[in-house]
Amino acid sequence: QITSNWTDADGVEIETTLAITRSNITFVGTGKDTTKILGGFVIRDLENITFKNMTLTNTSDDGNGIRMRNAKVELFDVALKGCNGDALYITDPTSETILVATRCEFANSNCGAIINGSLTSATFKNCVFHDNEYDGMYASDQATVHLHGEATAIHSNKRYGIFAHTSAKVIIHLPSHHNTFYNNRTADRKTLAGGTITSVED
């Protein structure tokens, strides 16, 4: 359990959130079902931060599983679920921000993933986004998102599966017959203000 608090740039204190303070750190659990962290992490102006084999749940007000900006982060076999805020939240960066997530789950939170910024690139490989209060994924402000892998699924979210807004680009690297989206309440895909969602076959 994370018991420390983090204060954002506006002076808002977020409970049960740990700010990582240096680059080149790897957090390794023993599995999603056996290593469970109650709380979340903030990663800013850092690189080479890695999480493996664990579940993150942040039930505090507006609590995120991972919140990042101006950072380079990798996730392997991580579940971000049951958060009061968004499971993953990438705020609009001022320098290159890269996320690579492999075999991860973003679920049962406000949004599964919010991805912002023209300097942001997020790649999801065989990830699942499901049962979120709003969108499985919301991409905005010219962010670029890539989805790969036959195990990819975006389903049972209460608003949109993917919402691409403000010239964000979501590129789905899967064949047209792949069952990528299903059972999202309002719509599987939503684009607005120049956002695009494109399927390509590599």
Side-chain angles (χ1 to χ4, degrees):
Q1 181 175 356
I2 294 173
T3 58
S4 60
N5 298 340
W6 171 75
T7 302
D8 69 13
D10 297 322
V12 178
E13 188 172 52
I14 308 297
E15 296 180 346
T16 63
T17 300
L18 176 66
I20 300 172
T21 57
R22 63 179 64 190
S23 296
N24 307 311
I25 294 180
T26 299
F27 297 87
V28 182
T30 58
K32 294 177 186 176
D33 295 328
T34 51
T35 299
K36 298 183 179 182
I37 296 177
L38 182 60
F41 292 88
V42 172
I43 307 161
R44 295 187 130 191
D45 304 301
L46 302 172
E47 61 183 11
N48 194 26
I49 304 296
T50 303
F51 294 83
K52 297 181 178 180
N53 307 321
M54 64 182 66
T55 293
L56 302 180
T57 300
N58 194 345
T59 57
S60 297
D61 287 347
D62 296 322
N64 307 123
I66 291 177
R67 181 185 182 109
M68 57 181 281
R69 183 174 190 254
N70 300 345
K72 297 176 182 178
V73 176
E74 288 190 276
L75 310 176
F76 297 93
D77 298 295
V78 174
L80 287 80
K81 58 194 300 187
C83 296
N84 186 278
D86 307 305
L88 170 71
Y89 184 23
I90 302 177
T91 59
D92 210 345
T94 57
S95 64
E96 185 179 40
T97 294
I98 298 174
L99 173 79
V100 179
T102 303
R103 297 181 304 274
C104 293
E105 179 184 3
F106 304 85
N108 304 106
S109 300
N110 197 36
C111 283
I114 291 186
I115 303 155
N116 292 303
S118 61
L119 298 175
T120 297
S121 174
T123 300
F124 298 92
K125 304 173 182 178
N126 292 310
C127 293
V128 180
F129 305 78
H130 68 90
D131 293 289
N132 293 289
E133 274 302 310
Y134 293 98
D135 308 324
M137 177 191 298
Y138 175 88
S140 184
D141 296 331
Q142 303 178 59
T144 300
V145 178
H146 296 273
L147 297 176
H148 298 264
E150 290 287 335
T152 299
I154 302 162
H155 69 88
S156 308
N157 298 288
K158 293 183 180 178
R159 191 169 71 167
Y160 305 118
I162 293 179
F163 188 179
H165 193 278
T166 324
S167 300
K169 296 185 292 186
V170 179
I171 303 159
I172 303 169
H173 300 261
L174 288 162
S176 57
H177 64 266
H178 183 266
N179 190 23
T180 309
F181 302 90
Y182 53 94
N183 295 339
N184 296 288
R185 183 174 296 176
T186 302
D188 288 333
R189 307 181 184 209
K190 171 71 173 179
T191 59
L192 190 67
T196 60
I197 301 171
T198 307
S199 294
V200 300
E201 293 192 43
D202 296 331

